[in-house]
Structures are given as structure tokens and as C-alpha cells.
Amino acid sequence: MRQRIGAGLLALAAIFGATSSGAGEVSVVKVEATRAPDGTWRFDVTLHHADEGWDHYANLWRIETPDGKILGERILAHPHVNEQPFTRSLSGVRIPDTLDQVIVRARDSVHGYGLRVVYALPE
């Protein structure tokens, strides 16, 4: 049975990204999740980062349980200097039925992981 802590989208990303990120850190600005017929999830995650090239760019985002277990990762293989913000997807993410929210985090090659963003899964 799924425990309901919140309903709908709890995308605190825009607030955290706009107010809490230090200079040069990557921000998660939008998260959308869709459940597939097989029970797995597809995540479309939009990031913003002042990519400067190969020495400083957003290089990964991931989905975690509230206690830190990694459920899926999307490696970003190149800088997105002229494409900001940008959205990338990850399909086939298995989420335990007991969860009603996940954490989305992004990383850049200089500062590491930015703030955790809580996302409430749609019903």
C-alpha cells in the first residue's frame, strides 16, 4: 500500500534553484514523472546550469528514495553551453509501491551535488 504524504507535484525545485543555489551550482527547475503500463516510471528533468564547457558542466541527475537509495541515474555526456535550461529523460525507473515521493538531485563537475528536490509522485 502506498503511503500518501502529499499529493500531486511538490516541485520545490524552482524555489530552491532560484534562491539557494550558489554561483555555478546546477539547479533542478522542473520534474515530470509518468507511470508506464509495466509499472516503471519515466522522469523528464529540466536543469539549469551555467555550463562553461568540458571543465565545468552539469554531468548527472538522479532519482533517490527519501533515505538515499539510488533508483536511477541519467549521465549527461557533454556540456550544454548554448542550451539552457535543458531537459533530459530517463525511463524504466522502478519505484517501490510504498513510496509516494522521491528525491531528484543533479550534479555538476565542479561543485558536486546541488540541493535535494522533493518530488511527489502523481497518483
Side-chain angles (χ1 to χ4, degrees), residues 17 43 72:
F43 284 84

Side-chain angles (χ1 to χ4, degrees), residues 28 31 43 45 61-72 95 99-106 114-121:
V28 177
V31 177
F43 284 84
V45 175
W61 59 262
R62 70 186 188 188
I63 308 298
E64 303 175 353
T65 63
D67 64 357
K69 179 182 176 192
I70 300 169
L71 300 172
I95 298 176
L99 294 180
D100 70 339
Q101 64 184 12
V102 293
I103 306 299
V104 181
R105 298 182 75 191
L115 293 173
R116 297 168 15 128
V117 174
V118 178
Y119 177 78
L121 297 166

Side-chain angles (χ1 to χ4, degrees), residues 29-91:
V29 296
K30 185 177 179 183
V31 177
E32 292 183 27
T34 327
R35 192 166 194 170
D38 68 359
T40 63
W41 290 80
R42 172 190 164 110
F43 284 84
D44 298 298
V45 175
T46 302
L47 304 179
H48 183 269
H49 184 261
D51 284 9
E52 298 173 351
W54 290 102
D55 291 333
H56 189 190
Y57 72 102
N59 61 6
L60 180 140
W61 59 262
R62 70 186 188 188
I63 308 298
E64 303 175 353
T65 63
D67 64 357
K69 179 182 176 192
I70 300 169
L71 300 172
E73 289 186 329
R74 172 67 194 255
I75 295 171
L76 304 169
H78 60 86
H80 295 86
V81 175
N82 297 315
E83 183 187 358
Q84 293 295 325
F86 65 98
T87 303
R88 294 297 178 269
S89 302
L90 179 65
S91 297

